[in-house]
Amino acid sequence: MPMSSAGPRPSVLFVCVHNAGRSQMGAAFLTHLAGDRVEVRSAGSAPADAVNPAVVAAMAEVGIDVSAETPKVLTVEAVRSSDVVITMGCGDACPVFPGKRYLDWQLDDPAGQGVDAVRPVREEIERRVRVLLAELGIAA
């Protein structure tokens, strides 16, 4: 059954420390697969200056351009206004509110790694995003 506390579209927030790798890939896959049927955000508890170039390259390999994305700082409001919050290694930095669905995806951090190290992380994120869409009742 689709969730909708914030309105007609479910809202999903991806969070990792730097908002330069895993959370950017999660947000990009969800946007790519769901289009405008899901409101998608990403943020980091300590945002980097730019998206990891290896992540940009790995996503380009599957036809998704994240080169124009910029890491954003995690805000309490972003969490409060999301139905689903997916953390990817940010630990206790993410505020918790009752009534939200929290998922913690344990994934290797691609920071400082090349494209070869990013690919398996990218593939696992895509798999998990597809599962999430099915749980939300949205066809990919």
Side-chain angles (χ1 to χ4, degrees):
M1 177 162 135
M3 300 177 5
S4 63
S5 66
R9 296 187 303 163
S11 175
V12 178
L13 171 66
F14 291 91
V15 181
C16 67
V17 176
H18 301 299
N19 189 218
R22 294 164 292 181
S23 56
Q24 290 285 352
M25 288 190 281
F29 272 121
L30 187 53
T31 299
H32 179 72
L33 295 168
D36 61 2
R37 294 171 296 165
V38 178
E39 186 178 355
V40 182
R41 297 185 192 86
S42 71
S45 50
D49 293 330
V51 174
N52 179 338
V55 167
V56 172
M59 293 302 285
E61 290 177 353
V62 295
I64 300 174
D65 182 5
V66 297
S67 63
E69 297 298 326
T70 53
K72 293 169 275 308
V73 70
L74 176 65
T75 65
V76 169
E77 186 47 44
V79 177
R80 187 178 285 127
S81 59
S82 298
D83 297 310
V84 181
V85 179
I86 299 171
T87 56
M88 300 167 149
C90 69
D92 298 331
C94 192
V96 175
F97 293 100
K100 304 289 176 202
R101 179 174 174 198
Y102 290 86
L103 301 172
D104 186 34
W105 291 359
Q106 296 294 326
L107 299 158
D108 291 337
D109 187 349
Q113 313 243 19
V115 175
D116 288 345
V118 174
R119 284 185 191 112
V121 178
R122 174 195 71 199
E123 288 161 12
E124 179 60 15
I125 290 172
E126 180 181 11
R127 187 191 69 76
R128 293 183 190 199
V129 165
R130 288 180 182 277
V131 169
L132 175 67
L133 279 169
E135 290 171 355
L136 293 173
I138 295 170

